[in-house]
């Protein structure tokens, strides 16, 4: 399998180069040159086996099938449920797909547990070492750290804003006791942390000396790993071409729902997707009104969806443009200048209307929905998941007569305050994290200053 850039001006690469590069050198995102079909999964007996089979065409010719099967099996052994991503029924035709049984209790573990292992394997093959740097306001940092904490060829440095993360989120990063994991509390905001990371990448000499790398949500390997659970969920539900499933996806960067769309393109029996937004509703406005106008980000109860520009949308746009990279690059440039993007009515009719519906859920709606689901099914859901189940109701999708699955993207105990406000009950952390808040922390307070942070990175990685 070869990979092409969504902006059409970067070299075609194979899977391993795409994995390590992240972004293409024309600023675009890598996409497989063609979509394979789903394999026959009749004899598959575990999630890890299904994962290896579904993803096989994407790594073919680059990673040996036995090695890839072992990496999948190791990655999904870290999940605390035998089904890895289990279905739970919450209504007559409604289900949750629980994606939070991994080490850090959020859906990003599904991809990052595999991506960390892929990095380590490919780097060992090539005799290379990288330093992953990233900024986090919460979920991504801990999932990335956990994904690479046992890697021999990766150091990771995660910047977070000092005093501005929740206790659970910070402790999930700072209590990991591995020599290759370094956390930095920056005396500044999340935006300051992001600016520092960008500045480190823009300092070419530093970037090359430290072999900087990233595992952000535009990395193709993350999108690829997320295709699998759409396939296993439709199989478990017995979905067929005449009895298809709808998925409701709490959406931020458009990564999770894009993976679903790819599974549908590969042949999974999926009727359509509900894109659930919080008050940051740029995607809902686009899908319902062909209006993609960027506004300021407002903080909500579902912080991992507080995003203004959904970076993975570029991949769908590339498809909508008939895979014309030049046209996609031009459109994105106009978007950057004007802050607004519309597409042709026939593109909406061909690509968007048949596959996507969308709804926005504000904070009051989130709290009401957590209460409603608890009262009607006894299940606790987190504020991100609540946007998904509330969107199902506001669109009436639970009355469609086929299964509707909402992706439960985070464990309710990660957001205990919102759950308490809605239900009067504070959900507890699962047993393996019950003592999290008492574990010793290792972190480093560093000034909001590029030179200071670079000095820290150089010393940390030299060890
Ligand atoms: C990252 C995240 C999302 C959003 O997923 P995207 O792939 O960015 O659309 C939703 N919920 C939770 C809990 C997350 O961590």
């Amino acid at each position: 399998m070869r990979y092409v850039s969504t902006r059409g001006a970067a070299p075609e690469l194979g899977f391993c180069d795409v994995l390590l590069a992240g972004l293409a050198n024309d600023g675009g995102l890598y996409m497989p040159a063609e979509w394979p079909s789903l394999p026959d999964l009749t004899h598959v007996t575990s999630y890890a086996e299904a994962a290896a089979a579904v993803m096989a065409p994407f790594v073919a010719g680059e990673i040996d099938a036995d090695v890839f099967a072992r990496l999948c099996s190791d990655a999904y052994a870290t999940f605390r449920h035998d089904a890895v991503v289990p279905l739970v029924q919450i209504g007559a035709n409604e289900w949750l797909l629980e994606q939070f049984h991994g080490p850090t209790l959020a859906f990003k573990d599904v991809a990052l547990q595999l991506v960390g292992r892929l990095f380590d394997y490919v780097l060992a093959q090539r005799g290379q070492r990288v330093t992953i740097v990233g900024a986090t306001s919460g979920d991504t940092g801990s999932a990335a750290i956990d994904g690479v904490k046992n890697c021999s060829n990766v150091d990771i440095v995660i910047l977070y804003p000092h005093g501005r993360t929740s206790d659970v989120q910070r402790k999930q990063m700072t209590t990991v006791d591995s020599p290759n994991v370094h956390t930095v509390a920056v005396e500044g905001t999340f935006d300051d942390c992001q600016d520092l990371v960008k500045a480190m990448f823009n300092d070419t000499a530093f970037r090359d000396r430290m072999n900087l790398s990233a595992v952000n949500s535009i990395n193709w390997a993350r999108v690829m790993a997320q295709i699998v659970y759409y396939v296993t969920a439709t199989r478990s539900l017995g979905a067929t071409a005449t009895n298809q499933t709808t998925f409701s996806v709490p959406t931020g960067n458009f990564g999770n729902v894009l993976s679903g769309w790819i599974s549908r393109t590969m042949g999974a029996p999926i009727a359509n997707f509900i894109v659930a937004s919080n008050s940051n509703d740029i995607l809902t406005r686009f899908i319902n009104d062909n209006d993609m106008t960027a506004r300021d980000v407002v903080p909500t109860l579902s912080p991992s969806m507080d995003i203004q520009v959904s970076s993975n949308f570029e991949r769908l746009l590339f498809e909508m443009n008939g895979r014309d990279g030049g046209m996609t690059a031009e459109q994105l440039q106009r978007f950057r200048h004007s802050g607004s993007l519309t597409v042709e009515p026939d593109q909406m009719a061909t690509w968007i209307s048949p596959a996507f519906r969308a709804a926005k859920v504000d904070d009051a709606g989130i709290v009401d929905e957590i209460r409603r689901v608890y009262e009607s099914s006894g299940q606790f859901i987190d504020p991100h998941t609540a946007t998904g189940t509330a969107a199902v109701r506001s669109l009436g999708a639970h009355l469609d007569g086929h299964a509707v699955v909402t992706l439960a993207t985070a464990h309710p105990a990660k957001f205990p305050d919102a759950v308490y406000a809605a239900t009067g009950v504070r959900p507890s952390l699962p047993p393996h994290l019950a003592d999290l808040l008492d574990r010793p922390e290792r972190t480093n307070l560093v000034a909001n200053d590029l030179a200071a942070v670079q000095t820290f990175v150089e010393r940390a990685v030299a060890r």
Side-chain angles (χ1 to χ4, degrees):
M1 177 70 78
R2 303 296 291 168
Y3 288 83
V4 298
S5 165
T6 51
R7 301 199 189 169
E12 285 190 16
L13 297 178
F15 175 79
C16 296
D17 287 325
V18 166
L19 172 77
L20 298 183
L23 206 64
N25 69 10
D26 59 359
L29 313 187
Y30 275 108
M31 286 278 267
E34 69 211 5
W35 297 121
S37 321
L38 292 178
D40 176 11
L41 297 176
T42 316
H43 301 292
V44 158
T45 57
S46 70
Y47 185 87
E49 278 176 39
V54 169
M55 291 185 277
F58 296 116
V59 302
E62 296 258 325
I63 298 181
D64 182 76
D66 291 346
V67 170
F68 190 60
R70 180 174 48 77
L71 294 175
C72 289
S73 144
D74 289 350
Y76 297 118
T78 65
F79 281 63
R80 285 173 167 76
H81 194 298
D82 273 355
V84 178
V85 183
L87 283 161
V88 170
Q89 191 161 13
I90 54 163
N93 274 323
E94 284 179 89
W95 309 76
L96 295 176
L97 186 65
E98 293 185 343
Q99 308 198 285
F100 52 69
H101 294 280
T104 74
L105 312 182
F107 106 91
K108 293 186 174 65
D109 288 329
V110 181
L112 285 166
Q113 285 297 316
L114 180 65
V115 169
R117 287 166 173 82
L118 283 167
F119 256 73
D120 212 32
Y121 174 76
V122 173
L123 290 167
Q125 293 292 99
R126 296 183 172 193
Q128 292 175 1
R129 221 187 142 74
V130 296
T131 306
I132 291 174
V133 295
T136 193
S137 56
D139 280 349
T140 314
S142 54
I145 286 173
D146 209 281
V148 303
K149 70 182 181 191
N150 296 318
C151 294
S152 336
N153 305 298
V154 178
D155 284 286
I156 186 164
V157 181
I158 295 290
L159 278 52
Y160 64 90
H162 180 53
R164 293 174 199 241
T165 56
S166 78
D167 281 355
V168 171
Q169 287 174 328
R170 188 189 69 255
K171 289 262 183 174
Q172 280 189 312
M173 297 188 281
T174 58
T175 61
V176 175
D177 186 16
S178 293
N180 65 333
V181 171
H182 313 279
T183 54
V184 180
V186 173
E187 293 176 301
T189 63
F190 172 59
D191 286 340
D192 293 329
C193 296
Q194 269 192 315
D195 289 344
L196 287 164
V197 169
K198 274 190 205 141
M200 283 192 271
F201 274 98
N202 287 336
D203 179 342
T204 319
F206 182 77
R207 187 182 68 202
D208 292 346
R209 191 162 69 248
M210 304 310 299
N211 246 327
L212 291 193
S213 185
V215 289
N216 38 32
S217 77
I218 51 89
N219 195 301
W220 163 253
R222 283 181 63 175
V223 173
M224 174 186 82
Q226 294 162 186
I227 296 168
V228 177
Y229 43 72
Y230 290 94
V231 179
T232 57
T234 50
R235 263 190 99 218
S236 298
L237 289 167
T240 60
T242 52
N243 180 24
Q244 300 184 329
T245 304
T246 289
F247 284 91
S248 179
V249 188
T251 302
N253 255 324
F254 204 74
N256 203 351
V257 69
L258 176 80
S259 299
W261 180 85
I262 294 170
S263 79
R264 183 175 179 265
T265 304
M266 292 168 69
I270 296 173
N272 51 36
F273 299 92
I274 296 172
V275 172
S277 306
N278 63 21
S279 293
N280 300 290
D281 63 342
I282 185 167
L283 286 168
T284 295
R285 283 182 280 122
F286 174 72
I287 290 166
N288 291 337
D289 306 316
N290 192 5
D291 163 28
M292 189 175 279
T293 308
R295 296 187 186 152
D296 288 340
V297 176
V298 296
T300 71
L301 292 173
S302 45
S304 299
M305 298 161 61
D306 291 348
I307 282 165
Q308 187 193 19
V309 177
S310 302
S311 46
N312 267 303
F313 182 75
E314 177 166 343
R315 289 191 158 108
L316 184 62
L317 196 61
F318 177 64
E319 292 285 346
M320 291 169 71
N321 290 334
R323 296 199 149 217
D324 182 332
M327 184 170 160
T328 307
E330 234 170 72
Q331 227 170 4
L332 288 162
Q333 183 151 16
R334 279 203 304 277
F335 179 56
R336 256 193 313 281
H337 281 280
S338 68
S340 180
L341 183 145
T342 55
V343 301
E344 297 302 322
D346 67 303
Q347 288 179 301
M348 289 304 277
T350 307
W351 295 95
I352 301 298
S353 314
F356 300 100
R357 287 180 282 177
K360 162 192 174 174
V361 184
D362 65 15
D363 275 357
I366 286 174
V367 173
D368 285 348
E369 180 65 7
I370 295 174
R371 183 181 309 116
R372 189 195 68 75
V373 170
Y374 178 58
E375 286 173 354
S376 66
S377 72
Q379 289 286 327
F380 293 112
I381 58 171
D382 98 290
H384 302 80
T385 307
T387 65
T389 57
V392 169
R393 273 205 148 47
S394 75
L395 296 170
H398 59 304
L399 305 173
D400 284 354
H402 60 241
V404 180
V405 176
T406 295
L407 303 197
T409 51
H411 193 290
K414 264 194 124 161
F415 301 93
D417 296 340
V419 178
Y420 181 79
T423 65
V425 183
R426 197 166 279 277
S428 45
L429 287 164
H432 74 282
L433 286 173
D435 67 337
L436 177 72
L437 297 177
D438 305 321
R439 292 183 196 167
E441 288 189 76
R442 294 193 315 153
T443 192
N444 306 276
L445 189 63
V446 177
N448 176 16
D449 173 72
L450 179 61
V453 173
Q454 286 180 315
T455 304
F456 173 84
V457 174
E458 299 212 57
R459 291 204 183 129
V461 170
R463 348 186 202 132

